[in-house]
Amino acid sequence: MTPPPATADTDNTSSAHDTAARIAAGYATDGPCITLGSVVVGASASPSALVTVPLATFNRHGLIAGATGTGKTKTLQGIAEQLSLAGVPVLMPDVKGDLSGLIRPGEGGDAITRRAADTGDDWQPAAFPVEFLSLAGRSGGISVRATIDSFGPILLAKVLDLNATQESTLGLIFHWADQQHLPLLDVKDLREVIAHLTSDEGKEDLRRLGGVSTATAGVILRAVTNLEAQGGDEFFGEPEFEIADLMRVSGDGRAVISLLEVGDLISQPALTSTFLMWLLAELFEQLPEVGDLHKPKLVFLFDEAHLLFKDASKAFLAAIEQTVKLIRSKGVGVFFCTQLPTDVPAAVLSQLGARIQHALRAFTPADQQALAQTVKTYPVTDDYDLAEALTSLGIGEAIVTVLSKKGVPTPVAWTRIRAPRSLMDPAPAGDVAGVVAASPLSAKYSAPVDRESAYELLTTRLAQQQAEAQRAEELEKARADVAAELERQRKQADQEQADLEKAARRQAQQDGGGGMLGDLMQNAAVKSFMRSMGSALGGALGRSIFGTRRRRR
């Protein structure tokens, strides 16, 4: 029996499946990989046409972008789950608090069943090993602290919202503290150093720094004081978080997902984003060169990345660009997650090999310009009208292109993203508290340590200087008192000598210049005796000046 002729719909469906298969072929890999989802052509997903990212390419970094409510966070959650299963540790901030659901198995339903069928996924609910971190333990997680020294002047200038001149001055202040062997561990250390340099005692030290004005140092001191008043001093100090604790694997081979809880710090976005950058910088500084690995040592999923770049100085942006460029050789992958690709500076964007772009909105001229710029960042494709596709994506769908293992961009793929297997809502607070309490890191980082540092050293130095100044003042006063006493005694001796001579002259006049007493006083022997008596009297007065007890009269 002859089959009926193919209809137009059948032809279109066949063509769509062929197109999907051709696109998926560009993502095929023979090594371990992460599966994002399946290719969509003509509004239909092809479950067998999978969009994958080789694990070996995760250190080439990536961008996850899209408007609010388009599914970016769930994409992050699904990627984190698969990386954990592959034994790759993950670090990411939890801005809204809904990623805590990773510790509980997900809940099935019709929507999950349909999504699993569309994406060729044998979906099963699963929980994952998670470490809850928080800045200074504010959100109830493991405390993450950094010393002021390790944070450095460039990152700290971003937190303090300093301009370029003030940032340069802060660098000189750090340099002076290094030269003086004054450890800057917490905020009070930095405050004390700046206060010293702007004080009368430290003005000579400030002058020797060169190019540092008292006014600029005063502005920085006020910024540090404000940070302290806002509770920022809690985030700096010891024990400092060790990056080795980010790269742990559980006993069953699944890697730990470290969630940095930052929801309660939304009023201090610069502090939050800069702390994440500090963790990345620490990874860069401490990890050895390893080249290209079959899978990364750690993947950093940087949500709300636009906060990192907002109002950043040239030095800060240059440091980010350099870190992102070179950290791949340390086996670390970085994925920035934000609303628009234009939120990321071009120099950094050019380093990101994977693009996962969720839906964009084009309601305003600025939105339309951003859309046009986004289209230009993708390889040329005849399969989609990208400008139309990017505004037509459904929730949990994205336009994807990544670098293959050969370093070649894959074909542009409209992708329906697989659903996470863990809970897609916040976990109960009691469950989170239980995970934190059971963590081996809890005892290690819970209690702050305040060892001797710049504050104590400068306070001790100032106390010593004040004591020495007081001793010098007391010595000078004693010397002045001695000099005054010597002068008083000299004047007294002169006065007594004058009184004796005056009395002798008066007696001589009363005697009329004659008589027995007058004759006696004119006698050469008597005059000699009187001179001898005067010399003896002077000697007696001299001894009393040098400290002997004066005889009572």
Side-chain angles (χ1 to χ4, degrees):
M1 184 174 179
T2 304
T7 64
D9 287 343
T10 302
D11 290 341
N12 289 338
T13 299
S14 176
S15 175
H17 282 305
D18 290 344
T19 300
R22 174 175 52 78
I23 293 172
Y27 291 86
T29 179
D30 55 0
C33 62
I34 300 299
T35 301
L36 294 177
S38 59
V39 177
V40 175
V41 176
S44 296
S46 299
S48 60
L50 299 180
V51 175
T52 62
V53 184
L55 274 178
T57 66
F58 261 80
N59 67 338
R60 297 178 185 175
H61 316 315
L63 174 71
I64 300 172
T68 300
T70 56
K72 298 190 303 295
T73 301
K74 300 313 169 191
T75 298
L76 285 173
Q77 185 172 344
I79 291 174
E81 290 177 354
Q82 293 190 60
L83 288 170
S84 175
L85 290 171
V88 178
V90 176
L91 170 65
M92 59 180 174
D94 187 5
V95 178
K96 297 184 287 291
D98 47 4
L99 288 172
S100 60
L102 280 159
I103 63 173
R104 298 196 65 172
E107 299 173 353
D110 292 342
I112 293 293
T113 300
R114 287 194 300 272
R115 181 58 61 110
D118 286 346
T119 58
D121 187 12
D122 58 344
W123 189 91
Q124 295 294 328
F128 293 84
V130 174
E131 196 72 75
F132 291 97
L133 310 176
S134 62
L135 298 185
R138 274 197 175 184
S139 301
I142 306 300
S143 294
V144 176
R145 299 182 187 87
T147 64
I148 292 287
D149 264 334
S150 69
F151 215 69
I154 294 178
L155 291 176
L156 189 60
K158 179 73 162 59
V159 173
L160 298 176
D161 194 24
L162 303 182
N163 61 32
T165 300
Q166 294 157 357
E167 180 181 316
S168 175
T169 297
L170 184 62
L172 290 173
I173 292 171
F174 270 70
H175 177 66
W176 180 84
D178 285 342
Q179 287 184 322
Q180 300 298 313
H181 306 292
L182 297 173
L184 299 176
L185 302 184
D186 50 30
V187 172
K188 72 176 186 298
D189 290 330
L190 180 61
R191 174 170 47 78
E192 191 66 22
V193 166
I194 302 174
H196 166 75
L197 291 173
T198 54
S199 68
D200 290 339
E201 293 82 3
K203 60 185 178 182
E204 182 60 25
D205 291 326
L206 185 68
R207 186 191 64 79
R208 284 198 296 266
L209 272 178
V212 177
S213 71
T214 304
T216 302
V219 170
I220 298 172
L221 180 58
R222 287 193 293 274
V224 171
T225 303
N226 289 338
L227 176 66
E228 199 170 18
Q230 295 168 8
D233 55 324
E234 300 174 9
F235 312 125
F236 296 99
E238 292 183 315
E240 186 172 79
F241 193 81
E242 298 177 12
I243 61 166
D245 291 325
L246 296 175
M247 297 183 289
R248 294 158 49 224
V249 177
S250 61
D252 60 5
R254 295 180 302 166
V256 173
I257 301 171
S258 297
L259 289 181
L260 184 64
E261 302 289 314
V262 295
D264 62 337
L265 292 172
I266 197 64
S267 62
Q268 296 173 284
L271 178 64
T272 302
S273 60
T274 310
F275 248 92
L276 288 167
M277 191 63 212
W278 169 75
L279 287 170
L280 186 61
E282 286 295 289
L283 289 166
F284 174 71
E285 291 294 333
Q286 296 186 32
L287 292 180
E289 296 277 345
V290 292
D292 290 327
L293 303 174
H294 68 283
K295 66 179 182 180
K297 299 174 71 172
L298 176 77
V299 172
F300 200 136
L301 302 178
F302 206 134
D303 199 6
E304 301 295 338
H306 66 282
L307 298 176
L308 182 66
F309 304 108
K310 182 181 179 182
D311 300 325
S313 68
K314 290 182 179 179
F316 185 79
L317 291 176
I320 295 176
E321 179 187 353
Q322 187 78 351
T323 301
V324 172
K325 183 184 298 183
L326 300 178
I327 202 169
R328 60 166 293 189
S329 64
K330 306 293 184 86
V332 176
V334 182
F335 276 64
F336 293 102
C337 186
T338 186
Q339 293 193 9
L340 295 169
T342 51
D343 292 335
V344 181
V348 177
L349 193 62
S350 65
Q351 306 294 324
L352 311 181
R355 305 290 174 88
I356 303 171
Q357 177 67 60
H358 287 265
L360 288 175
R361 309 295 181 228
F363 299 138
T364 68
D367 291 340
Q368 293 169 0
Q369 182 179 7
L371 174 62
Q373 290 176 327
T374 300
V375 169
K376 292 178 181 178
T377 65
Y378 279 86
V380 176
T381 177
D382 295 326
D383 298 317
Y384 308 103
D385 180 340
L386 285 181
E388 181 181 350
L390 286 169
T391 56
S392 304
L393 292 165
I395 295 175
E397 294 182 343
I399 299 296
V400 176
T401 183
V402 303
L403 289 179
S404 69
K405 292 181 70 173
K406 296 180 179 179
V408 179
T410 57
V412 175
W414 183 325
T415 306
R416 188 159 295 168
I417 306 295
R418 284 184 170 180
R421 300 191 173 199
S422 57
L423 185 66
M424 289 190 283
D425 289 307
D431 289 4
V432 174
V435 170
V436 173
S439 170
L441 302 183
S442 185
K444 182 177 180 180
Y445 294 113
S446 59
V449 176
D450 188 11
R451 64 184 174 92
E452 186 178 63
S453 52
Y455 176 81
E456 291 78 13
L457 292 172
L458 280 175
T459 301
T460 301
R461 182 186 300 180
L462 180 60
Q464 291 173 344
Q465 290 174 345
Q466 290 175 340
E468 290 173 359
Q470 184 175 356
R471 285 195 297 270
E473 184 179 349
E474 291 172 351
L475 181 59
E476 185 61 30
K477 184 177 182 301
R479 288 173 178 169
D481 290 345
V482 169
E485 178 64 18
L486 290 173
E487 180 64 15
R488 186 190 67 78
Q489 292 186 17
R490 185 189 65 77
K491 289 181 178 179
Q492 181 180 347
D494 290 346
Q495 185 62 45
E496 289 176 354
Q497 179 69 27
D499 289 346
L500 284 173
E501 292 178 356
K502 184 177 181 181
R505 286 195 299 272
R506 184 182 303 114
Q507 185 62 45
Q509 290 173 357
Q510 289 175 355
D511 293 341
M516 182 180 295
L517 182 58
D519 293 341
L520 183 62
M521 293 301 296
Q522 295 299 321
N523 186 277
V526 172
K527 288 182 178 181
S528 176
F529 170 76
M530 290 297 292
R531 284 195 297 269
S532 298
M533 188 176 69
S535 298
L537 178 61
L541 290 173
R543 286 193 295 275
S544 67
I545 289 174
F546 285 107
T548 60
R549 181 178 297 177
R550 297 187 64 192
R551 186 176 301 172
R552 293 186 180 180
R553 300 184 62 178

